[in-house]
């Protein structure tokens, strides 16, 4: 059974940094390798939005609001995805979710809370 185990959230002051980690427990390497790895975030009352994604070939996309501040990376051997978040702003406060796969074969983490105080 596949679980995306997330860690790294917390409370930080504006301007600070956090690094989120997501480990795909129970996922075979070919599935991890063959799918885009993504981080989303959601605040109450709003739709979940895509923050960053990385393909196996290394193609990376970012939400415009986080460009230059966030960095997504992956480690295939550890079946892990990371989101380094620098220069955090209060508007980055949200629950962050990692996701791997697509359509009916999409896996989601349970989410980790990131709170940025002003």
């Amino acid at each position: 059974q596949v679980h995306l185990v997330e860690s790294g959230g917390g409370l930080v002051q504006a301007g600070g940094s956090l690094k989120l980690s997501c480990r795909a427990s129970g996922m075979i390497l070919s599935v991890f390798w063959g799918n885009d790895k993504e981080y989303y975030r959601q605040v109450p009352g709003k739709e979940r939005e895509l923050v960053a994604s990385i393909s196996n070939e290394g193609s990376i996309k970012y939400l415009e609001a986080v460009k230059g501040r966030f960095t997504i990376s992956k480690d295939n051997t550890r079946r892990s995805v990371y989101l380094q978040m620098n220069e955090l702003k209060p508007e980055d406060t949200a629950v962050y979710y990692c996701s791997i796969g697509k359509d009916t074969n999409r896996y989601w983490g349970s989410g980790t809370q990131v709170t940025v105080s002003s």
Side-chain angles (χ1 to χ4, degrees), residues 77-97:
T77 59
R78 290 181 168 82
R79 295 171 177 77
S80 294
V81 190
Y82 308 100
L83 187 67
Q84 177 67 48
M85 305 184 295
N86 299 328
E87 301 175 37
L88 282 161
K89 304 176 180 180
E91 50 264 44
D92 295 318
T93 295
V95 178
Y96 284 71
Y97 299 89

Side-chain angles (χ1 to χ4, degrees), residues 61-114:
K61 298 178 183 178
Y62 293 105
L63 181 70
E64 188 66 32
V66 308
K67 282 182 179 179
R69 300 188 296 121
F70 290 12
T71 303
I72 190 169
S73 61
K74 61 183 175 67
D75 185 335
N76 287 342
T77 59
R78 290 181 168 82
R79 295 171 177 77
S80 294
V81 190
Y82 308 100
L83 187 67
Q84 177 67 48
M85 305 184 295
N86 299 328
E87 301 175 37
L88 282 161
K89 304 176 180 180
E91 50 264 44
D92 295 318
T93 295
V95 178
Y96 284 71
Y97 299 89
C98 68
S99 180
I100 300 174
K102 60 183 178 181
D103 301 325
T104 57
N105 293 314
R106 179 181 287 276
Y107 298 95
W108 290 94
S110 59
T112 185
Q113 176 71 46
V114 171

Side-chain angles (χ1 to χ4, degrees), residues 3-71:
H3 295 284
L4 300 188
V5 182
E6 301 188 63
S7 61
L11 173 63
V12 65
Q13 288 188 330
S17 298
L18 286 173
K19 185 175 183 178
L20 305 183
S21 299
C22 174
R23 179 174 58 84
S25 173
M27 182 177 286
I28 61 175
L29 184 57
S30 61
V31 173
F32 182 87
W33 185 82
N35 285 281
D36 289 356
K37 276 64 74 175
E38 300 168 325
Y39 267 100
Y40 290 77
R41 67 186 182 187
Q42 188 170 26
V43 297
K46 293 189 177 181
E47 291 190 359
R48 194 170 293 187
E49 63 180 356
L50 179 62
V51 175
S53 67
I54 183 169
S55 72
N56 184 63
E57 294 80 12
S59 176
I60 293 174
K61 298 178 183 178
Y62 293 105
L63 181 70
E64 188 66 32
V66 308
K67 282 182 179 179
R69 300 188 296 121
F70 290 12
T71 303

